[in-house]
């Protein structure tokens, strides 16, 4: 078995599993080696060769089999669906209007699809942070959406003679600075984590940054618009 350079791939007898061997310390660069289909008997041979390839002794290993990766995707999708159902029920009870819940779910679906696209385009492996990233984005996005919906509800009582579009536009304008400042502050922190973090942290931070941007966009431009369209019917 041979070990290639950083981000190289070495194939074993089958493609049933993926092993990610990472090495890094404060005095050297961080390397990642993906090994497909490594058997139990080759693990002892792999570690010393990884040390030689990366020229360092700080080696960590993460095994993700094809079965486990599929389970992670299934669990992530199931978690998002369950969270979406409870979020819709919560918004329905709080705002006493199912249209708010429907708008929030459509906005969340947009955010999840954007994050999934980032995972696919950047070829980020589906690891242990996948579910955490998805649920974090869902929670972050729905928080920003509820802020907009709260203002829409308040303005609906005070702007009695205004049309639905005017109420939504006014509400978005009143909460726009808050949404941008909150998202920008969070984005800067996650960006610093991405720049300074190791590979496993980068694989979490990159989708998070995309999710924060998508969540802000959906909260400002999608959720209120969907409610206005459904309200007009």
């Amino acid at each position: 078995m041979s070990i290639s350079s950083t981000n190289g791939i070495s194939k074993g007898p089958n493609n049933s599993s993926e092993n990610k061997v990472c090495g890094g310390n404060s005095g050297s660069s961080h390397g990642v080696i993906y090994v497909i289909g490594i058997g139990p008997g080759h693990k002892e041979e792999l570690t010393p060769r990884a040390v030689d390839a990366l020229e360092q002794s700080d080696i960590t290993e993460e095994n993700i089999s094809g079965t486990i990766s599929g389970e992670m995707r299934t669990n992530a999708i199931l978690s998002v669906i369950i969270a979406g159902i409870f979020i819709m029920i919560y918004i329905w009870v709080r705002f006493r209007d199912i249209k708010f819940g429907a708008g929030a779910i459509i906005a969340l679906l947009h955010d999840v699809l954007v994050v999934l696209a980032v995972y696919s385009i950047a070829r980020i492996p589906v690891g242990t942070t996948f579910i955490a990233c998805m649920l974090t984005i869902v929670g972050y996005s729905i928080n920003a959406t509820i802020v907009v919906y709260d203002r829409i509800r308040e303005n609906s009582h005070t702007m009695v003679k205004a049309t639905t579009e005017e109420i939504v536009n006014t509400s978005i304008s009143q909460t726009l600075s808050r949404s941008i400042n909150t998202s920008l502050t969070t984005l800067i922190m996650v960006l610093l984590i991405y720049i300074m973090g190791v590979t496993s942290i980068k694989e979490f931070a990159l989708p998070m940054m995309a999710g924060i941007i998508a969540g802000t966009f959906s909260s400002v431009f999608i959720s209120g618009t969907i409610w206005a369209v459904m309200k007009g019917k």
Side-chain angles (χ1 to χ4, degrees), residues 3 6-7 18-24 30-35 38 43 46-47 49-51 54 56 58-63 199:
I3 298 179
T6 303
N7 292 330
E18 177 181 280
N19 291 63
K20 182 174 68 175
V21 182
C22 304
H30 187 85
V32 180
I33 300 175
Y34 291 97
V35 183
I38 183 173
K43 279 190 177 183
L46 176 63
T47 301
R49 294 195 178 192
V51 173
L54 298 175
Q56 55 194 20
D58 184 13
I59 302 294
T60 59
E61 178 182 352
E62 180 181 354
N63 297 330
T199 302

Side-chain angles (χ1 to χ4, degrees), residues 34-233:
Y34 291 97
V35 183
I36 309 298
I38 183 173
H42 295 288
K43 279 190 177 183
E44 295 181 359
E45 179 186 358
L46 176 63
T47 301
R49 294 195 178 192
V51 173
D52 295 336
L54 298 175
E55 297 181 353
Q56 55 194 20
S57 58
D58 184 13
I59 302 294
T60 59
E61 178 182 352
E62 180 181 354
N63 297 330
I64 303 176
S65 68
T67 302
I68 295 177
S69 180
E71 291 177 354
M72 286 182 178
R73 286 194 296 268
T74 302
N75 290 338
I77 294 173
L78 184 61
S79 299
V80 171
I81 292 175
I82 294 175
I85 292 174
F86 280 100
I87 287 172
M88 190 169 184
I89 294 174
Y90 165 74
I91 294 178
W92 183 18
V93 172
R94 175 170 179 174
F95 294 96
R96 300 186 182 279
D97 189 350
I98 193 63
K99 299 181 183 66
F100 283 110
I105 294 302
I106 294 174
L108 289 181
L109 181 61
H110 163 271
D111 303 336
V112 170
L113 291 178
V114 169
V115 175
L116 285 175
V118 171
Y119 267 93
S120 178
I121 294 172
R123 302 184 66 84
I124 301 175
V126 179
T128 54
T129 60
F130 180 67
I131 299 176
C133 180
M134 285 297 180
L135 294 180
T136 302
I137 293 303
V138 168
Y140 187 91
S141 177
I142 196 62
N143 178 69
T145 299
I146 288 179
V147 171
V148 176
Y149 280 171
D150 266 331
R151 189 55 57 90
I152 290 176
R153 181 178 61 176
E154 293 174 1
N155 290 336
S156 296
H157 297 303
T158 57
M159 302 172 60
V160 180
K161 297 182 179 180
T163 63
T164 302
E165 289 77 11
E166 291 174 344
I167 293 175
V168 172
N169 288 335
T170 302
S171 302
I172 292 176
S173 299
Q174 292 174 346
T175 58
L176 185 61
S177 59
R178 181 266 177 200
S179 299
I180 293 178
N181 292 336
T182 302
S183 300
L184 187 61
T185 303
T186 308
L187 187 63
I188 291 174
M189 295 298 102
V190 178
L191 178 61
L192 292 177
I193 292 175
Y194 177 81
I195 295 174
M196 303 176 64
V198 297
T199 302
S200 58
I201 299 299
K202 292 177 183 290
E203 292 175 353
F204 176 79
L206 180 59
M208 276 292 298
M209 288 189 290
I212 290 171
I213 296 173
T216 304
F217 175 85
S218 65
S219 299
V220 174
F221 296 105
I222 296 180
S223 57
T225 304
I226 295 296
W227 177 83
V229 170
M230 298 180 68
K231 188 74 173 178
K233 293 184 178 180

